[in-house]
Amino acid sequence: MKTLYSRIVLTTIAIMVISSLIAFVLSNLYYQYNLKPFNDQKVTTMAKDIGDFYDSHPETDIHDYLHHIGQLGYQFYLVNDQGKEWFYGGMFREQDLSPETVRQVLNGKVYHGIAEFPSELFITGFFDNVLSNSIGIPIQVEGSPHALFIRPDITVQFGEMRIFFSIIMVIAILLSILLVGIITRYIVKPIVKLTEATQSVAQGQYDIKLNVTRRDELGQLADHFSQMAKGLAQLEQMRQEFVSNVSHEIQSPLASIQGFSQTLQTKRLSEEQQQHYLSIIEAESRRMSQLSKQLLMLASLDKEENILDKSTFDVAEQIKQVLFHTEWSWRSKDLTIDMSLPPTYVYGDHQLLHQVWTNLITNSIKFTAPEGAISLRVIKHNTQCRIEISDTGIGIPPEHLPHIFNRFYRVDEARDRSEGSSGLGLSITQKIVELHGGRIEVTSQPGKGTTFTVILPHV
């Protein structure tokens, strides 16, 4: 299996090779269309200067003259009308001149072999050492017509430079490969750590420490992964606590039902005692039923998929209905109800919001002493609707306020359990409000009362 490291290294080397080939092709095209005509004109001018110098100095031996110039870095081919040939300077790789070309030069025509040299994709004509890639001029030697062909001797003129540039290119390629390997390892190292970390998370180990100090995208990825691992650890802890709490909540009524059922079966009890035990069994069964319903509701709310059936309705009228349904409870405690419920329309799930007001109002009734007071207010403010439910009950200690929306959390464990509370009501309330794009706030003073404020967008 190819690793990411090998993929990056091989890809980078492939890019280097392909880029070099493309650069060579483009430079070759540039030479063929731009530099070759210029080079042809330059060598032609040089050849004519050589011919003009010899014409103005006829006493000069042509062979010595061309021999000395050839040592300066030029290649010459001299031929007369009888076909006799002389070579000066470096040798040509190929002697590919046609007799027709030689005849034309002998007749006085200048041969532009460099400009007319055929273009090839991977061979730059400037370096192709063949006789046809030269400049030919007519010249008179001792009154006899001759043809002189000239081109630069690349080996003499650029030999050291070619070696120099070859060494530079080889060193650059080797260093590039080496640096690509080193830098790629530096880039891939955090990814390797992340891969190991994901394997640990997959095995349930969430205590991950990634010592990645980079500030690039990989550093951000490592930071986000560490945050995700912490979130998963907290989620796993919450899951374990949730399972433990559910087990505890179920175990308690089951133990009561089992114990009282055995008592009813094994002992002779009076009818009054039997009714008492049966009422306890019925209450515990009802508590288990309520717990199961609340757990199912929480599961549905947690999915957050197509759970809301929204419509526009008067939230003030809905709160009045809830108050009417709980009338027996607050009248039995002789509570004073203070209402300010002007018509206010919201767009939400009628049934779920009914559950919110039911939970909050029943809690206020439950924890308010007889002859206390409950205040219900709906306040419209810009695009928001504030619903305040206040009571003069026992209040909530400050240390418990940050936790009251946690699942299965109870301020007074013993009292709440005796009253059948599962500790899920406020969690469900908060979840419903958040699904409607709102929020719920609470303020409380022990011994003075509690105020829950639900803020929802209104129509």
Side-chain angles (χ1 to χ4, degrees), residues 135-149:
I135 299 296
I137 61 171
I139 187 172
Q140 295 288 327
V141 179
E142 297 178 355
S144 175
H146 286 63
L148 178 64
F149 296 87

Side-chain angles (χ1 to χ4, degrees), residues 13-23:
I13 294 175
I15 291 174
M16 292 169 57
V17 172
I18 295 173
S19 300
S20 300
L21 293 175
I22 294 175

Side-chain angles (χ1 to χ4, degrees), residues 189-207:
K189 187 176 180 181
I191 301 178
V192 174
K193 290 183 178 180
L194 283 173
T195 303
E196 296 174 351
T198 54
Q199 294 174 350
S200 300
V201 170
Q203 296 173 358
Q205 301 175 5
Y206 303 109
D207 187 14

Side-chain angles (χ1 to χ4, degrees), residues 210-251:
L210 295 173
N211 296 323
V212 178
T213 58
R214 297 167 56 163
R215 292 295 176 264
D216 55 7
E217 289 81 356
L218 288 176
Q220 294 178 0
L221 178 61
D223 290 338
H224 294 162
F225 186 88
S226 298
Q227 295 175 7
M228 183 194 72
K230 291 180 181 178
L232 289 174
Q234 294 175 355
L235 185 62
E236 177 64 17
Q237 183 180 1
M238 291 174 59
R239 186 190 67 82
Q240 293 177 356
E241 292 177 356
F242 181 80
V243 172
S244 176
N245 287 328
V246 170
S247 301
H248 181 71
E249 292 294 333
I250 292 177
Q251 182 63 32

